[in-house]
Amino acid sequence: MKKRNKLKILNDPIYGFITIPNELIFDLLEHRYFQRLRRISQMGLSYLVYPGAHHTRFHHALGCMHLMQNVVRVLRFKGVTISEEEEDALYVAILLHDIGHGPFSHAMEHSIVNEVTHESISLLFMERINEDFNGSLTLAIQIFKGEYHREFLHQLISSQLDMDRLDYLKRDSFYTGVAEGNINSERLITMLSVVDDKLVVEEKGIYSVEKFLLARRLMYWQVYLHKTSLVAENLLIRVLKRAKELVEQGTVLHCSKPLAFFLENKITAANFSTEVLETFSKLDDYDIISAMKEWATADDYVLRNLCKMIIDRDLLRIKIKKKPFSEAKINKQIRKLREIDSISEAEAAYFVFSGEIVNQAYDQNKQNIHIVYKSKKIVDIVSATDQFNLKALSKPVTKYFICYPKSED
């Protein structure tokens, strides 16, 4: 039998050609768990605001792996020892870091599974795949969990200047057309170094880090926390919660078998078994979209209207301000809705609700970005910069929103 060529080259709109470095990575790419990421959108329902934002977690994972190849090459050039085993483990860990995301990325975590994060599901997937690959992912899992003794390897996977953030900012900027997020990832990677097995940025890279943090701040306000995206995601969470509530009451809702399983069962971290993981692996954006199209004609007032709002992009009105909205304001909107439609207060609460959003580009209390000077002195980026606005970026900014039907304004 002719041996298959597994060292392929892929074409990416952001970086150009991406090479698959070894056969293990190729086999992981072909695994059905990873192929599922083709059907998980990177930015949830943001395409309702930015029509081009249809890229997937599959795109993102490949981009992260490409950046990791670049950083390994840069660090080795600077004299940092990275063994072949560590290199392969880095590629595996970054490739699979988001494999646990559910449909529309974050909506699942707040609706039909109870406080089970995508990070913990990613780890379960990695451990399950490791069984299929005869333990080949063991080192990658150790690095992913932060249990390996060389800290900088974990920092490249998960930190405030990791390959995940370097890719998603540049990629999301490209697909949304929001130029403010277009960071120079190549320059940032070139400025990386390692001191005492900890990741640092060379002094001449300070301005690139400043630009990166500012870009992150702007992308959150303009894209990730855009008011229309915020409304859509909250509606989707409420669609899934309402569907689960109705199923628990005995209502029959037509949907795919994987989605039906999560609607019919209370899934928590404690009972997220291998069987549950297998069912989760069959769940993607298409299950949710097809279900909402079906439920848009449901008998239930709440579920029907929530689904129609998303499918037809006829969303709730949203107002955002710096102070919380009063209970009186919320109750006023609930009363107005109930005057028009004969529904209960609990049902009206699906359409009138408030919440808060937080934007913090840099957290000084969490895996700091360190600058190394020629004198070997190492300081936090906020202390190293002469930009006053970077100090401001390290402080969380909280805003508050209220959503309610447009006809009730």
Side-chain angles (χ1 to χ4, degrees):
M1 180 183 284
K2 186 178 179 181
K3 187 177 180 181
R4 187 177 183 185
N5 174 26
K6 295 185 177 182
L7 302 181
K8 303 286 187 181
I9 296 176
L10 308 174
N11 203 347
D12 181 74
I14 311 297
Y15 309 117
F17 292 118
I18 292 177
T19 58
I20 297 175
N22 55 54
E23 293 190 2
L24 172 60
I25 294 298
F26 181 89
D27 291 337
L28 287 173
L29 288 172
E30 291 223 309
H31 196 283
R32 59 194 178 86
Y33 288 168
F34 190 81
Q35 287 293 316
R36 167 183 164 273
L37 296 183
R38 291 183 184 271
R39 305 185 300 276
I40 304 290
S41 61
Q42 172 71 13
M43 295 180 61
L45 291 165
S46 290
Y47 63 80
L48 294 177
V49 182
Y50 299 101
H54 279 284
H55 55 303
T56 66
R57 292 278 163 188
F58 187 88
H59 293 129
H60 169 59
L62 287 173
C64 290
M65 184 194 67
H66 172 75
L67 293 182
M68 191 65 80
Q69 289 174 283
N70 290 349
V71 80
V72 167
R73 188 161 51 247
V74 165
L75 293 179
R76 278 179 172 164
F77 179 78
K78 294 181 179 181
V80 179
T81 301
I82 299 174
S83 69
E84 287 188 15
E85 291 77 15
E86 290 170 339
E87 178 185 5
D88 291 345
L90 278 174
Y91 299 156
V92 170
I94 196 64
L95 188 71
L96 303 181
H97 78 283
D98 270 350
I99 198 170
H101 268 289
F104 294 103
S105 295
H106 294 285
M108 274 286 283
E109 297 173 33
H110 305 289
S111 51
I112 57 177
V113 294
N114 291 31
E115 298 179 358
V116 185
T117 65
H118 71 270
E119 290 91 352
S120 60
I121 299 175
S122 291
L123 183 58
L124 291 173
F125 270 126
M126 291 170 73
E127 290 170 343
R128 177 65 188 86
I129 296 171
N130 196 30
E131 295 174 12
D132 294 342
F133 282 72
N134 301 316
S136 300
L137 279 63
T138 301
L139 181 54
I141 291 170
Q142 288 180 339
I143 293 172
F144 180 80
K145 294 166 71 174
E147 294 177 351
Y148 193 61
H149 67 277
R150 306 190 74 187
E151 186 180 339
F152 81 94
L153 297 178
H154 176 71
Q155 288 177 299
L156 291 171
I157 304 294
S158 178
S159 68
Q160 295 198 78
L161 191 61
D162 55 26
M163 298 308 104
D164 175 37
R165 294 186 184 193
L166 291 190
D167 181 79
Y168 79 62
L169 283 175
K170 195 171 183 67
R171 189 168 301 277
D172 295 350
S173 168
F174 177 87
Y175 280 99
T176 59
V178 177
E180 287 82 356
N182 188 16
I183 59 169
N184 190 342
S185 53
E186 186 177 345
R187 167 75 176 171
L188 282 162
I189 287 172
T190 304
M191 292 298 105
L192 292 177
S193 189
V194 174
V195 176
D196 297 329
D197 273 336
K198 291 182 173 59
L199 199 64
V200 295
V201 181
E202 294 173 358
E203 179 183 357
K204 55 190 175 182
I206 287 177
Y207 303 124
S208 297
V209 176
E210 289 176 356
K211 168 69 166 60
F212 162 76
L213 293 175
L214 182 58
R216 190 163 186 267
R217 166 81 154 213
L218 294 174
M219 283 293 284
Y220 266 85
W221 283 140
Q222 289 186 239
V223 179
Y224 308 127
L225 298 176
H226 187 285
K227 62 179 185 177
T228 305
S229 298
L230 198 61
V231 173
E233 182 166 324
N234 272 278
L235 285 175
L236 179 56
I237 290 169
R238 282 160 175 77
V239 164
L240 296 173
K241 281 187 174 180
R242 183 59 173 179
K244 192 170 181 66
E245 185 179 284
L246 291 172
V247 169
E248 288 172 353
Q249 294 171 1
T251 303
V252 176
L253 294 178
H254 296 291
C255 61
S256 69
K257 288 183 179 178
L259 180 55
F261 174 83
F262 284 95
L263 293 178
E264 293 165 3
N265 296 278
K266 184 176 181 180
I267 303 300
T268 64
N271 66 357
F272 210 101
S273 62
T274 302
E275 291 74 22
V276 172
L277 185 70
E278 186 61 33
T279 304
F280 185 87
S281 73
K282 295 179 172 66
L283 199 61
D284 56 51
D285 290 5
Y286 297 101
D287 295 87
I288 307 300
I289 289 290
S290 61
M292 287 195 295
K293 288 173 67 178
E294 179 76 22
W295 299 341
T297 57
D299 293 334
D300 181 68
Y301 173 93
V302 174
L303 185 62
R304 179 176 70 250
N305 283 284
L306 288 174
C307 290
K308 286 172 66 176
M309 284 178 177
I310 297 175
I311 295 296
D312 299 336
R313 199 192 178 279
D314 186 12
L315 308 174
L316 297 172
R317 186 176 300 282
I318 181 172
K319 285 187 177 180
I320 299 177
K321 67 177 187 177
K322 294 180 180 178
K323 294 182 179 180
F325 289 88
S326 66
E327 285 294 321
K329 171 78 171 176
I330 298 168
N331 292 333
K332 178 183 177 183
Q333 295 298 337
I334 288 177
R335 284 196 305 273
K336 283 186 176 182
L337 177 59
R338 294 186 66 195
E339 286 173 5
I340 297 173
D341 296 295
S342 300
I343 56 176
S344 68
E345 187 171 333
E347 290 173 322
Y350 275 96
F351 302 94
V352 181
F353 51 86
S354 62
E356 66 177 50
I357 50 177
V358 180
N359 189 354
Q360 185 175 13
Y362 180 65
D363 186 349
Q364 285 185 274
N365 300 313
K366 181 182 177 184
Q367 294 178 317
N368 302 42
I369 299 175
H370 286 119
I371 305 297
V372 60
Y373 289 93
K374 291 181 180 178
S375 64
K376 307 299 182 186
K377 181 182 178 182
I378 298 176
V379 299
D380 182 84
I381 179 62
V382 172
S383 301
T385 182
D386 57 3
Q387 291 289 325
F388 176 75
N389 66 345
L390 199 57
K391 293 179 176 63
L393 293 183
S394 66
K395 297 177 181 178
V397 176
T398 303
K399 293 185 180 181
Y400 303 87
F401 66 87
I402 182 173
C403 296
Y404 53 93
K406 291 176 181 177
S407 59
E408 305 309 311
D409 194 4

PDB file of all heavy atoms in Angstrom, residues 103 131 166 210 288-290 305 312 337:
ATOM      1  N   PRO A 103     -21.469  24.688  20.945  1.00  0.00           N
ATOM      2  CA  PRO A 103     -22.085  25.497  19.892  1.00  0.00           C
ATOM      3  C   PRO A 103     -22.063  26.985  20.223  1.00  0.00           C
ATOM      4  O   PRO A 103     -22.329  27.382  21.351  1.00  0.00           O
ATOM      5  CB  PRO A 103     -23.518  24.967  19.843  1.00  0.00           C
ATOM      6  CG  PRO A 103     -23.408  23.569  20.337  1.00  0.00           C
ATOM      7  CD  PRO A 103     -22.338  23.593  21.380  1.00  0.00           C
ATOM      8  N   GLU A 131      -5.866   8.369  24.801  1.00  0.00           N
ATOM      9  CA  GLU A 131      -6.059   6.914  24.852  1.00  0.00           C
ATOM     10  C   GLU A 131      -5.974   6.321  23.445  1.00  0.00           C
ATOM     11  O   GLU A 131      -5.372   5.253  23.237  1.00  0.00           O
ATOM     12  CB  GLU A 131      -7.417   6.590  25.480  1.00  0.00           C
ATOM     13  CG  GLU A 131      -7.550   7.008  26.941  1.00  0.00           C
ATOM     14  CD  GLU A 131      -8.960   6.789  27.481  1.00  0.00           C
ATOM     15  OE1 GLU A 131      -9.763   6.113  26.791  1.00  0.00           O
ATOM     16  OE2 GLU A 131      -9.272   7.300  28.572  1.00  0.00           O
ATOM     17  N   LEU A 166      -2.794  36.071  20.388  1.00  0.00           N
ATOM     18  CA  LEU A 166      -2.132  36.650  19.222  1.00  0.00           C
ATOM     19  C   LEU A 166      -2.869  36.291  17.938  1.00  0.00           C
ATOM     20  O   LEU A 166      -2.928  37.076  16.997  1.00  0.00           O
ATOM     21  CB  LEU A 166      -0.679  36.183  19.135  1.00  0.00           C
ATOM     22  CG  LEU A 166       0.293  36.706  20.191  1.00  0.00           C
ATOM     23  CD1 LEU A 166       1.727  36.352  19.815  1.00  0.00           C
ATOM     24  CD2 LEU A 166       0.171  38.213  20.378  1.00  0.00           C
ATOM     25  N   GLU A 210       2.315  47.384  23.967  1.00  0.00           N
ATOM     26  CA  GLU A 210       1.341  48.465  24.181  1.00  0.00           C
ATOM     27  C   GLU A 210       0.249  48.420  23.110  1.00  0.00           C
ATOM     28  O   GLU A 210      -0.943  48.513  23.412  1.00  0.00           O
ATOM     29  CB  GLU A 210       2.040  49.827  24.143  1.00  0.00           C
ATOM     30  CG  GLU A 210       2.918  50.113  25.349  1.00  0.00           C
ATOM     31  CD  GLU A 210       3.657  51.434  25.215  1.00  0.00           C
ATOM     32  OE1 GLU A 210       3.539  52.088  24.155  1.00  0.00           O
ATOM     33  OE2 GLU A 210       4.350  51.826  26.164  1.00  0.00           O
ATOM     34  N   ILE A 288     -28.102  23.749  16.899  1.00  0.00           N
ATOM     35  CA  ILE A 288     -28.812  24.882  17.513  1.00  0.00           C
ATOM     36  C   ILE A 288     -29.620  25.658  16.479  1.00  0.00           C
ATOM     37  O   ILE A 288     -30.788  26.006  16.715  1.00  0.00           O
ATOM     38  CB  ILE A 288     -27.813  25.828  18.219  1.00  0.00           C
ATOM     39  CG1 ILE A 288     -26.925  25.045  19.197  1.00  0.00           C
ATOM     40  CG2 ILE A 288     -28.558  26.942  18.941  1.00  0.00           C
ATOM     41  CD1 ILE A 288     -27.663  24.328  20.289  1.00  0.00           C
ATOM     42  N   ILE A 289     -29.016  25.934  15.332  1.00  0.00           N
ATOM     43  CA  ILE A 289     -29.710  26.684  14.282  1.00  0.00           C
ATOM     44  C   ILE A 289     -30.945  25.928  13.802  1.00  0.00           C
ATOM     45  O   ILE A 289     -32.044  26.497  13.689  1.00  0.00           O
ATOM     46  CB  ILE A 289     -28.769  26.957  13.087  1.00  0.00           C
ATOM     47  CG1 ILE A 289     -27.700  27.990  13.469  1.00  0.00           C
ATOM     48  CG2 ILE A 289     -29.568  27.456  11.883  1.00  0.00           C
ATOM     49  CD1 ILE A 289     -28.218  29.400  13.654  1.00  0.00           C
ATOM     50  N   SER A 290     -30.785  24.626  13.529  1.00  0.00           N
ATOM     51  CA  SER A 290     -31.932  23.849  13.040  1.00  0.00           C
ATOM     52  C   SER A 290     -33.027  23.761  14.098  1.00  0.00           C
ATOM     53  O   SER A 290     -34.223  23.804  13.782  1.00  0.00           O
ATOM     54  CB  SER A 290     -31.490  22.448  12.613  1.00  0.00           C
ATOM     55  OG  SER A 290     -30.926  21.742  13.696  1.00  0.00           O
ATOM     56  N   ASN A 305     -40.967  33.183  20.338  1.00  0.00           N
ATOM     57  CA  ASN A 305     -40.542  34.557  20.055  1.00  0.00           C
ATOM     58  C   ASN A 305     -39.033  34.761  20.207  1.00  0.00           C
ATOM     59  O   ASN A 305     -38.432  35.526  19.457  1.00  0.00           O
ATOM     60  CB  ASN A 305     -41.310  35.530  20.944  1.00  0.00           C
ATOM     61  CG  ASN A 305     -42.728  35.757  20.455  1.00  0.00           C
ATOM     62  OD1 ASN A 305     -42.963  36.476  19.480  1.00  0.00           O
ATOM     63  ND2 ASN A 305     -43.685  35.119  21.105  1.00  0.00           N
ATOM     64  N   ASP A 312     -34.682  35.824  12.591  1.00  0.00           N
ATOM     65  CA  ASP A 312     -35.045  36.959  11.730  1.00  0.00           C
ATOM     66  C   ASP A 312     -34.208  38.205  12.013  1.00  0.00           C
ATOM     67  O   ASP A 312     -34.403  39.240  11.385  1.00  0.00           O
ATOM     68  CB  ASP A 312     -36.525  37.311  11.911  1.00  0.00           C
ATOM     69  CG  ASP A 312     -37.434  36.156  11.524  1.00  0.00           C
ATOM     70  OD1 ASP A 312     -36.993  35.309  10.720  1.00  0.00           O
ATOM     71  OD2 ASP A 312     -38.574  36.100  12.029  1.00  0.00           O
ATOM     72  N   LEU A 337     -44.717  45.185  28.837  1.00  0.00           N
ATOM     73  CA  LEU A 337     -44.811  43.995  27.995  1.00  0.00           C
ATOM     74  C   LEU A 337     -46.037  43.167  28.375  1.00  0.00           C
ATOM     75  O   LEU A 337     -46.759  42.678  27.498  1.00  0.00           O
ATOM     76  CB  LEU A 337     -43.537  43.157  28.140  1.00  0.00           C
ATOM     77  CG  LEU A 337     -43.508  41.832  27.384  1.00  0.00           C
ATOM     78  CD1 LEU A 337     -43.691  42.059  25.882  1.00  0.00           C
ATOM     79  CD2 LEU A 337     -42.207  41.085  27.652  1.00  0.00           C
TER      80      LEU A 337
END
